[in-house]
Amino acid sequence: GLVGSEMCIRDRNNMDSILTKSIEFTDAITLPYNKNDFTFEFAALHYVEPKKNQYKYILENYDNDWRNVGYERTARYTSLPHGDYIFKVLGSNSDGVWATEPALLSITILPPWWKTWWAYILYAVVIISLLSYLYYLQRRRLKFRHEFEMKEFEAVKLKEVDQLKSSFFANISHEFRTPLTLIKGPVEQLLEGKKLEDPNKTFRMIKRNSERLLNLINELLDLS
């Protein structure tokens, strides 16, 4: 053929040869993600008028069509994204007769570590851990909020109970004071030797208020 016996690739960063042997003995190469700037060098094996040999090439999965570069024997690519490519080159002799089969080279540019499958697994683990931690914080916040609301509720209820107690003792004190006063008055008159206007009526009142006090005490005992 007219093309394919000699090809190499040079890294544009340090110009060290990545591929130095004939393309006939190399079908594919794998490059790290930071070696995505490089230059192809090729030559057609037709020595009648080698300066008039012409070339065209294409990098599949990157170029949309063949690039006709005339007598230029290099192809330069910069900042290629990671992926799989196939570089094809055709040459013609000085009479314009093109080779029927291109020289081929498969190229794989590896992704950077942050785009590898294990990196995505790490991202997933980090995201899941973060979401789990946020969920834990949310549950803890809701728990504290619930406990705080319960304490406020208990404080309100205790205040209400205290108010009820105060009201209860105020009322019960009034209930005790009234019959005691009604009993105390006639008893003091008797002790002072004063004559009661209607003794039977007074004694019935004392008995009635005594029974009232006894009922109040029984109700307090039942309540306690």
Side-chain angles (χ1 to χ4, degrees):
L2 298 173
V3 176
S5 294
E6 296 293 338
M7 177 185 292
C8 71
I9 302 177
R10 294 187 180 277
D11 181 3
R12 296 189 64 193
N13 294 325
N14 54 29
M15 298 306 292
D16 293 332
S17 178
I18 298 173
L19 176 64
T20 56
K21 61 183 178 181
S22 172
I23 193 174
E24 294 179 356
F25 303 104
T26 304
D27 297 325
I29 60 172
T30 300
L31 303 175
Y33 75 95
N34 59 347
K35 297 293 184 179
N36 58 352
D37 293 349
F38 46 77
T39 299
F40 295 95
E41 296 179 2
F42 40 81
L45 300 182
H46 189 268
Y47 303 109
V48 175
E49 290 183 86
K51 292 184 179 181
K52 293 185 178 181
N53 295 341
Q54 298 188 53
Y55 305 92
K56 59 183 177 181
Y57 62 85
I58 185 173
L59 184 63
E60 291 186 352
N61 296 330
Y62 186 78
D63 293 328
N64 294 324
D65 202 357
W66 288 85
R67 298 187 185 186
N68 197 327
V69 291
Y71 306 124
E72 180 69 29
R73 296 191 304 108
T74 59
R76 296 180 177 87
Y77 290 94
T78 61
S79 302
L80 285 176
H82 64 88
D84 297 319
Y85 305 93
I86 299 177
F87 182 73
K88 297 180 180 180
V89 59
L90 282 170
S92 73
N93 59 18
S94 58
D95 297 325
V97 179
W98 290 90
T100 56
E101 295 294 333
L104 304 175
L105 181 63
S106 296
I107 303 170
T108 297
I109 299 179
L110 299 175
W113 67 265
W114 58 86
K115 290 185 177 181
T116 56
W117 63 267
W118 57 267
Y120 289 122
I121 292 177
L122 179 62
Y123 300 153
V125 170
V126 171
I127 292 173
I128 292 173
S129 301
L130 180 61
L131 291 177
S132 299
Y133 181 67
L134 292 177
Y135 176 72
Y136 166 76
L137 291 180
Q138 178 68 4
R139 288 195 61 183
R140 188 177 181 184
R141 186 182 69 83
L142 292 176
K143 179 182 177 181
F144 287 157
R145 180 179 177 182
H146 178 69
E147 291 177 351
F148 177 75
E149 291 176 350
M150 287 300 297
K151 288 180 179 179
E152 283 191 330
F153 177 77
E154 291 174 356
V156 171
K157 290 303 176 183
L158 286 175
K159 185 177 180 181
E160 292 178 356
V161 169
D162 288 338
Q163 291 176 350
L164 288 174
K165 285 181 179 179
S166 299
S167 177
F168 173 77
F169 284 116
N171 292 332
I172 203 68
S173 298
H174 176 73
E175 292 295 326
F176 274 98
R177 184 180 294 111
T178 299
L180 284 173
T181 301
L182 293 175
I183 294 172
K184 182 174 179 290
V187 171
E188 287 179 346
Q189 289 182 8
L190 290 172
L191 291 174
E192 292 174 357
K194 294 181 180 180
K195 185 178 180 181
L196 299 175
E197 295 181 0
D198 189 350
N200 289 330
K201 181 180 179 180
T202 301
F203 294 149
R204 286 195 298 270
M205 181 199 59
I206 292 174
K207 183 176 183 296
R208 186 172 59 252
N209 285 283
S210 299
E211 290 175 349
R212 183 180 177 186
L213 284 174
L214 182 61
N215 289 332
L216 286 174
I217 292 172
N218 289 331
E219 289 178 358
L220 282 176
L221 292 174
D222 293 339
L223 180 63
S224 64

